Amino acid sequence: MGQSLSEFMAGNLQTFWEMTGFYNATWEHFVMLGVGMFFLYLAIKKNFEPMLLVPIGFGILIGNIPFSAGMEVGIYEEGTVLNILYNGVSAGWYPPLVFLGIGAMTDFTALIANPKLMLVGAAAQFGIFGAYMVALALGFAPDQAGAIAIIGGADGPTAIFVSSKLAPNLMGAIAVSAYSYMALVPVIQPPLMRLFTTKKERLIKMKPARAVSQNEKIIFPIVGLLLTCFVVPTALPLLGMLFFGNLLRECGVTTRLAKTASNALTDIVTILLGMTVGASTQASEFLTIETIGIFFLGFMAFIIASSSGVLFVKLFNLVLPKDKKLNPLIGNAGVSAVPMSARISNNLGLEYDPSNYLLMHAMGPNVAGVIGSATAAGVLLAFLG
Amino acid sequence: MKKKLFLMLVALMAISTAAYAQGRKGLCINEVMVQNDSSVVDDYGLHHGWIELYNSTHAPMEISSVYLTNDSTKPALYPVPLGDVNTEIPALQHVLFWADGEPNKGTFHISFKIKPGETIYVFDADQQTILDQVTIPADLAPNTTFARKVDGKGGMSQDAWEVRDGGEKYITPSSNNIIVDTNTKVESFRTLDGNGFILTIMAMAIVFSALLVLCLCFYAISKVGSIVSLFNKMRSRGVEPKTIADAESLDHDSGEEIAAIVMALHEHLNAHDQENTILTINKVKKAYSPWSSKIYGLREIPRR
């Protein structure tokens, strides 16, 4: 052999040392670990979207532990555990499962009672396409611009679904940006809502919504699926699962399935989705100038979406009869951050009139926003996919 | 029972029709070379004519037991053998068969040679359904191919085909007839819609139309629903409304009024619903054992 025991031990220890995170670490790894810890701080201490930011934040830590390539642990190495879990993101089947849960959780009553609120949900999608134009102006290619712009839908699963098809290399940054701004909706939206409304408009009291029959609630997901998916079949995975989940909830004979879809299944998928999206943000992919651009565009998209919703309601009021006017404070809820943006409408309404409860009215555009952003995603995929 | 049997039969027919529709309908002949003197060689290093088959569906297709022939009266001239993993063609991909008349050389060497002017057929496993056919021009020169202009498109029409001489029109065995190196959709938006304005207009119009149609549809559904429920309500009260206006005029109930009346009655009568009078006793199974207890090994999840 010709190798002494000490040389043998030293050789093995040297090999082991070269495999450790300390040996392979670069400053980028530490920056990303800092980002992950900041997300955990926001989630645990500040209570910002903890259900999403805890898995994402911890995923960032997992994805940025330094190691030497070929150890079969990395998320991008084929066949590893993380890689198998990541398939749900890269192949795009986690987002439709989340949509199944959202459908099973969502009560569309407010929207069915007042269908014109669907148009508010449609108007807020201008955030997506406004951001698309800004992204093009900043030099992004059309498919990348489309993937980034979808952040304006304020819908994490949709953003992941679209970016996995249009710009897979930007998906990590897009997902983190989308979820970060969703967590910051209570900070971003109120100043815009105040800016674009007068005090008189904020005091508008809307008529209570009519009662909705069970039959209407059952018909809604069926008709909704047929109409929207005939227009944009590319949105079928998202809208199909959304309306399917809602039918499970409303039909009254599949309570057990609806409960599973809205609780256990959603929780499992959220954990895996959040963790793997976080783990996919490896320093080499994430710490780029493009990421800064994506965060800027995401912010722009949220501003445009929230503003266009509010401004559309003001415009809509010009043609509505006096007794059917809408309070523009529900316009921000056209983005699909359910139910947070509806809660913001309600809180702001109560701030100006303690008897003006806008929550149920705002839920209309809010759930319409979910349908609208999925439809907009389908349109982007059809044009640019 | 008969009704159930009928429904099952209908479902079975629907499933089998769907399965048939998803069968090998997308398999087609894509490119053919008859005389090969100096073009591609087979896995034995020899020049032979070849037939390229193309899976035009978006799912993998297993083609074992389909038949290739140049004689429609003998559909089973060359059956693609079972048991070869390579006979599964991935979505939108190709497979090449060497027309050398030597099937003993392997799965992709067929039992007949081809000549200009002949018609080549692909038969399904039933030996009756023609999946695709093409008649090779009688004047097809050596080392040129007869190929579909666009991969998998054009059905059985001869107009969908063209002669390729390997010059400007490439000969493409086991490859796409049209080579695409960029996403044409993205490129067209990049050149014609540099600022994104056109896409924004089109996309917003589509999103608005989709939701507007849904909105109008639900106005209609709610209108019909409310009229039906009003008529039912009136009938249950023994009133026979003659028109919709009559029925609507009779209905003054609002949710708020009903809620107020119910609250007043509740206060007045101190009424309870039946729930309070129902006692349910469930047997509680206690299967406790310190060996399966988690309290010794775990603590409660902290709540904030």
Side-chain angles (χ1 to χ4, degrees):
Chain A
M1 296 281 283
Q3 193 182 34
S4 70
L5 188 63
S6 60
E7 280 172 342
F8 174 72
M9 282 174 64
N12 274 298
L13 285 173
Q14 176 67 24
T15 309
F16 178 76
W17 166 245
E18 285 169 8
M19 284 165 62
T20 61
F22 296 107
Y23 181 84
N24 290 293
T26 60
W27 66 269
E28 287 99 336
H29 286 112
F30 290 108
V31 172
M32 287 309 297
L33 292 174
V35 171
M37 285 181 204
F38 177 64
F39 272 56
L40 290 175
Y41 169 78
L42 285 180
I44 297 165
K45 285 290 174 193
K46 298 287 177 190
N47 212 26
F48 279 3
E49 292 270 343
M51 303 293 174
L52 294 167
L53 290 191
V54 168
I56 291 178
F58 205 79
I60 293 174
L61 299 187
I62 291 174
N64 286 283
I65 300 290
F67 60 86
S68 57
M71 288 170 64
E72 296 184 0
V73 290
I75 195 163
Y76 295 116
E77 289 182 77
E78 191 151 0
T80 63
V81 174
L82 285 175
N83 182 259
I84 290 166
L85 296 178
Y86 185 60
N87 183 266
V89 177
S90 55
W93 51 268
Y94 284 155
L97 287 178
V98 174
F99 261 63
L100 177 72
I102 293 172
M105 275 185 250
T106 306
D107 182 359
F108 283 99
T109 306
L111 191 62
I112 301 168
N114 197 355
K116 64 175 174 285
L117 296 178
M118 277 185 210
L119 300 180
V120 183
Q125 305 317 316
F126 186 68
I128 294 174
F129 302 106
Y132 172 76
M133 289 196 278
V134 180
L136 285 180
L138 288 181
F140 284 97
D143 46 352
Q144 290 181 329
I148 297 166
I150 199 70
I151 299 171
D155 195 332
T158 305
I160 290 167
F161 185 75
V162 172
S163 56
S164 70
K165 312 264 180 219
L166 293 182
N169 57 323
L170 302 180
M171 190 180 58
I174 290 170
V176 171
S177 169
Y179 281 119
S180 309
Y181 289 125
M182 278 167 69
L184 292 173
V185 157
V187 181
I188 298 170
Q189 286 194 332
L192 294 168
M193 292 156 74
R194 287 195 185 95
L195 179 69
F196 290 114
T197 53
T198 62
K199 195 173 179 192
K200 193 180 164 194
E201 286 169 333
R202 289 176 217 141
L203 294 172
I204 293 175
K205 277 199 172 176
M206 292 169 65
K207 277 172 68 175
R210 67 173 177 86
V212 173
S213 71
Q214 195 58 28
N215 282 342
E216 283 177 274
K217 288 182 193 173
I218 293 170
I219 292 169
F220 181 78
I222 298 168
V223 173
L225 171 78
L226 295 178
L227 287 180
T228 53
C229 290
F230 264 77
V231 178
V232 269
T234 38
L236 187 60
L238 297 175
L239 289 171
M241 293 302 244
L242 177 80
F243 288 124
F244 173 51
N246 191 247
L247 184 65
L248 290 180
R249 172 196 165 94
E250 300 296 357
C251 70
V253 290
T254 52
T255 316
R256 218 175 68 205
L257 301 186
K259 269 187 188 164
T260 303
S262 59
N263 295 305
L265 183 65
T266 306
D267 290 349
I268 291 167
V269 180
T270 305
I271 290 168
L272 295 176
L273 178 75
M275 193 274 287
T276 49
V277 161
S280 71
T281 60
Q282 291 189 349
S284 55
E285 296 285 323
F286 196 80
L287 290 179
T288 60
I289 297 290
E290 278 178 338
T291 303
I292 298 168
I294 290 167
F295 270 76
F296 168 72
L297 287 166
F299 185 63
M300 290 293 299
F302 262 68
I303 288 179
I304 299 170
S306 308
S307 310
S308 52
V310 174
L311 292 172
F312 177 78
V313 174
K314 285 169 68 109
L315 200 69
F316 203 16
N317 275 342
L318 297 177
V319 293
L320 288 175
K322 205 174 178 182
D323 59 328
K324 289 187 178 171
K325 292 222 186 288
L326 304 175
N327 190 320
L329 291 181
I330 67 167
N332 71 302
V335 301
S336 58
V338 181
M340 197 186 289
S341 48
R343 259 191 242 140
I344 292 163
S345 305
N346 189 53
N347 293 347
L348 216 62
L350 290 174
E351 204 178 287
Y352 290 93
D353 178 357
S355 67
N356 195 4
Y357 292 91
L358 292 172
L359 185 65
M360 285 318 289
H361 299 296
M363 279 307 288
N366 213 183
V367 293
V370 178
I371 301 171
S373 63
T375 310
V379 174
L380 281 174
L381 288 174
F383 283 146
L384 303 170
Chain B
M1 189 63 193
K2 272 183 184 171
K3 198 177 169 187
K4 269 187 183 171
L5 214 65
F6 174 73
L7 282 173
M8 276 173 68
L9 205 68
V10 170
L12 207 68
M13 277 172 67
I15 289 165
S16 54
T17 309
Y20 176 75
Q22 289 169 2
R24 284 135 162 186
K25 281 285 172 195
L27 184 65
C28 55
I29 304 167
N30 206 47
E31 191 170 3
V32 180
M33 179 178 273
V34 178
Q35 286 173 268
N36 177 4
D37 302 329
S38 57
S39 188
V40 288
V41 292
D42 67 5
D43 35 356
Y44 292 86
L46 301 171
H47 294 286
H48 293 294
W50 44 265
I51 301 165
E52 183 188 74
L53 296 188
Y54 180 68
N55 171 13
S56 65
T57 70
H58 288 259
M61 185 188 287
E62 170 56 57
I63 60 161
S64 56
S65 79
V66 303
Y67 297 93
L68 285 169
T69 180
N70 57 354
D71 184 350
S72 61
T73 60
K74 295 175 188 165
L77 209 55
Y78 180 71
V80 179
L82 293 163
D84 188 332
V85 290
N86 296 317
T87 53
E88 183 176 281
I89 314 177
L92 306 177
Q93 292 301 310
H94 320 73
V95 69
L96 207 66
F97 285 91
W98 297 97
D100 53 4
E102 296 177 88
N104 55 333
K105 279 187 171 176
T107 302
F108 298 103
H109 293 260
I110 61 177
S111 56
F112 58 91
K113 292 183 177 181
I114 47 177
K115 292 192 248 350
E118 279 184 347
T119 302
I120 300 167
Y121 303 88
V122 181
F123 277 89
D124 208 345
D126 60 3
Q127 299 184 27
Q128 288 178 350
T129 312
I130 297 175
L131 295 172
D132 198 12
Q133 68 178 68
V134 62
T135 303
I136 305 160
D139 57 349
L140 189 69
N143 300 315
T144 59
T145 62
F146 193 48
R148 283 184 186 274
K149 292 171 188 166
V150 181
D151 298 83
K153 300 281 183 201
M156 294 192 198
S157 162
Q158 290 287 116
D159 296 339
W161 292 72
E162 64 184 0
V163 175
R164 295 185 165 212
D165 57 6
E168 277 189 20
K169 289 180 177 172
Y170 300 125
I171 291 171
T172 57
S174 292
S175 179
N176 287 351
N177 293 355
I178 289 184
I179 297 163
V180 181
D181 52 3
T182 53
N183 183 336
T184 47
K185 283 188 202 170
V186 172
E187 282 309 306
S188 65
F189 274 103
R190 194 201 297 270
T191 50
L192 300 171
D193 185 30
N195 53 16
F197 191 69
I198 297 170
L199 183 137
T200 301
I201 298 285
M202 289 190 300
M204 281 305 287
I206 294 169
V207 173
F208 254 101
S209 325
L211 291 183
L212 182 66
V213 170
L214 198 57
C215 164
L216 295 175
C217 192
F218 269 85
Y219 267 121
I221 288 171
S222 69
K223 196 73 190 162
V224 172
S226 63
I227 290 166
V228 170
S229 73
L230 274 175
F231 272 90
N232 289 341
K233 202 185 281 180
M234 293 305 108
R235 283 209 185 90
S236 68
R237 289 182 193 174
V239 184
E240 198 62 46
K242 289 185 181 64
T243 63
I244 293 167
D246 285 350
E248 281 178 339
S249 68
L250 287 168
D251 189 73
H252 298 297
D253 297 340
S254 79
E256 284 168 328
E257 283 167 14
I258 292 169
I261 293 165
V262 171
M263 287 288 284
L265 281 171
H266 178 79
E267 286 293 314
H268 180 66
L269 301 170
N270 193 20
H272 291 283
D273 59 17
Q274 262 201 322
E275 270 178 40
N276 287 0
T277 64
I278 295 172
L279 182 66
T280 309
I281 300 172
N282 279 335
K283 188 185 172 191
V284 179
K285 194 182 171 193
K286 286 187 178 174
Y288 175 79
S289 154
W291 292 101
S292 64
S293 171
K294 288 182 177 172
I295 57 170
Y296 296 115
L298 298 170
R299 66 184 182 83
E300 236 185 286
I301 294 170
R303 289 175 193 278
R304 298 178 67 211

